[in-house]
Amino acid sequence: MKVRKFTNYIHIGIGLETARVLALRGVHVVMPVRNIAAGEKAKESIAEKVPNAKLEVMELDVSSQESVRQFASQYCSKGLPLNILILNAGIMSPPFTLSKDNIELQFATNHLGNFLLTNLLLDTMKKTAIESGKEGRIVILSSELHQTTYKEGIMFDKINDEQSYNAMYAYGQSKLANALHAKELTRRLQEEGVNITANSLHPGVINTNLLHHNGFFAIFFKVVQSFLKNIPQGAATTCYVAMHPQLKGVSGEYFADSNLKKASAYAQDPELAKKLWDFSVKLTQAK
C-alpha cells in the first residue's frame, strides 16, 4: 500500500522510531512536536540514516486545545493530503495536574487532544481517501493498562476530582478512552461509508522516558529492564497496523505484538464508547 502523507508525533523514542521506519518506506512524514528545536534534531537524526527521507516538523502541544486547533488549521492550509494519522503522544502518571483547558492532564493529553485533532483532520483524510482511492488509516496508541482503570471505567463525573485521583488509574482511564475512541470512530466511519479504518494498539512495555513521573514504576522497570522491548520492537506493532496490506478493511480492533488481541470488556462496550464520544465532543467544543 503506497501512501503519500503521514502524520506522526515525535514525543518519546517510539514515535521517533515509527517516523524513521515509515520514512524508510518512502512515506512523507509530518512530525508534530512540542519543541521545534528538538524536532529538528529528530528530523536530522532520521535524515542521517534515511538520506532521501521526506520530513516536516510542525509545532503542537496536544495537551492544549488551542495548540491542536492551530496545528490542524496550519496543516489544512498547506493543502496536503493525509493517508495515515498516528496518535502517539502521551504522558504517564504525573501528580494531579490540570491542563491549560482545566482538564485532568492525562485525560487531556492522552485522549482529548488526540480526539480533537482527529476530528479536525478527518475531512482532509476523507478527501484524500476519495482522491487517492486508497484506504486511510487512523492508529491510536493505547496500552494493556487500559484494563487498570477506575471501577466505573471512565469517571465522567469526576474527571477533574483531585480527591478521587489515582495516577495509575487515571492513566488506565485515558488508555481505555483510546480504545473506545477507535471503536466509536469505526462505527461512525462505517455508517458513513468512508474508506478509513481506526484501530488501537498496545506497543509493548518499552524502555522509554514515559515513566519519569512515577518513581515506583521507574524503579520497577529499571529492575526488569532486560525484559523490556527495545524501541524498534515497540514501534513494530504501530507500523504493522499503519501499513500492512493484510489489515485492509480491518477496523475497530485492538492489537498487540502485531496481532489481534482481545481488549477488556469496557473497551468493547459500544454504549460506553458512545457516551465517551459525546462527553469528548462537549469538552472540546470551541469556547
Side-chain angles (χ1 to χ4, degrees):
M1 181 180 67
K2 294 182 178 179
V3 293
R4 297 296 297 277
K5 281 286 173 185
F6 162 75
T7 298
N8 176 61
Y9 295 104
I10 300 300
H11 177 70
I12 54 175
I14 188 173
L16 177 60
E17 177 63 14
T18 301
R20 185 193 68 81
V21 170
L22 294 177
L24 189 63
R25 283 156 177 73
V27 177
H28 186 153
V29 181
V30 177
M31 306 187 299
V33 297
R34 286 180 297 176
N35 184 302
I36 290 292
E40 290 294 343
K41 286 184 179 179
K43 175 181 172 181
E44 291 172 8
S45 72
I46 295 174
E48 288 175 2
K49 300 173 182 176
V50 188
N52 296 324
K54 298 176 182 178
L55 305 164
E56 294 182 47
V57 173
M58 293 178 63
E59 185 174 2
L60 170 62
D61 176 1
V62 77
S63 72
S64 163
Q65 293 183 27
E66 179 182 7
S67 178
V68 171
R69 293 181 189 281
Q70 288 177 347
F71 171 86
S73 177
Q74 290 169 5
Y75 187 93
C76 293
S77 69
K78 290 175 177 285
L80 300 174
L82 181 59
N83 297 98
I84 303 173
L85 176 64
I86 297 183
L87 304 170
N88 182 63
I91 59 172
M92 186 177 187
S93 301
F96 180 82
T97 311
L98 294 178
S99 71
K100 294 177 181 178
D101 303 289
N102 291 315
I103 299 166
E104 189 276 310
L105 190 59
Q106 292 191 86
F107 193 77
T109 304
N110 298 353
H111 169 61
L112 282 180
N114 291 327
F115 176 85
L116 177 60
L117 181 62
T118 302
N119 286 352
L120 293 174
L121 294 178
L122 203 50
D123 283 345
T124 298
M125 290 198 74
K126 291 175 183 178
K127 181 181 178 183
T128 302
I130 292 171
E131 293 180 350
S132 68
K134 295 183 174 66
E135 178 182 84
R137 294 191 181 185
I138 299 171
V139 182
I140 307 172
L141 268 71
S142 178
S143 168
E144 278 294 271
L145 288 176
H146 78 274
Q147 302 178 74
T148 307
T149 183
Y150 299 104
K151 64 180 181 179
E152 305 95 330
I154 305 289
M155 290 208 309
F156 294 103
D157 296 329
K158 295 183 177 181
I159 284 293
N160 291 341
D161 185 2
E162 185 172 0
Q163 296 302 314
S164 303
Y165 182 76
N166 175 290
M168 285 306 297
Y169 285 170
Y171 179 74
Q173 173 179 252
S174 71
K175 296 290 100 180
L176 172 60
N178 293 149
L180 290 168
H181 180 198
K183 212 71 173 173
E184 177 63 12
L185 180 56
T186 289
R187 186 189 70 78
R188 290 168 179 266
L189 292 170
Q190 291 178 344
E191 191 175 78
E192 196 176 338
V194 178
N195 189 24
I196 299 173
T197 63
N199 292 290
S200 62
L201 63 88
H202 170 61
V205 183
I206 303 158
N207 186 16
T208 70
N209 66 350
L210 191 61
L211 283 158
H212 74 275
H213 287 294
N214 191 302
F216 170 78
F217 278 88
I219 293 170
F220 171 76
F221 277 82
K222 199 74 174 178
V223 171
V224 298
Q225 192 167 23
S226 60
F227 300 99
L228 301 182
K229 288 186 176 184
N230 59 36
I231 289 172
Q233 289 170 338
T237 302
T238 303
C239 296
Y240 172 73
V241 176
M243 299 283 288
H244 205 291
Q246 185 179 346
L247 298 185
K248 181 176 175 60
V250 176
S251 193
E253 301 292 350
Y254 177 75
F255 290 82
D257 293 323
S258 299
N259 282 289
L260 277 169
K261 186 168 184 179
K262 188 174 181 179
S264 71
Y266 274 141
Q268 300 178 69
D269 185 339
E271 293 303 317
L272 185 60
K274 172 67 167 59
K275 185 175 181 180
L276 174 66
W277 184 282
D278 293 341
F279 183 67
S280 302
V281 167
K282 183 178 179 180
L283 289 179
T284 55
Q285 285 177 337
K287 302 295 189 293

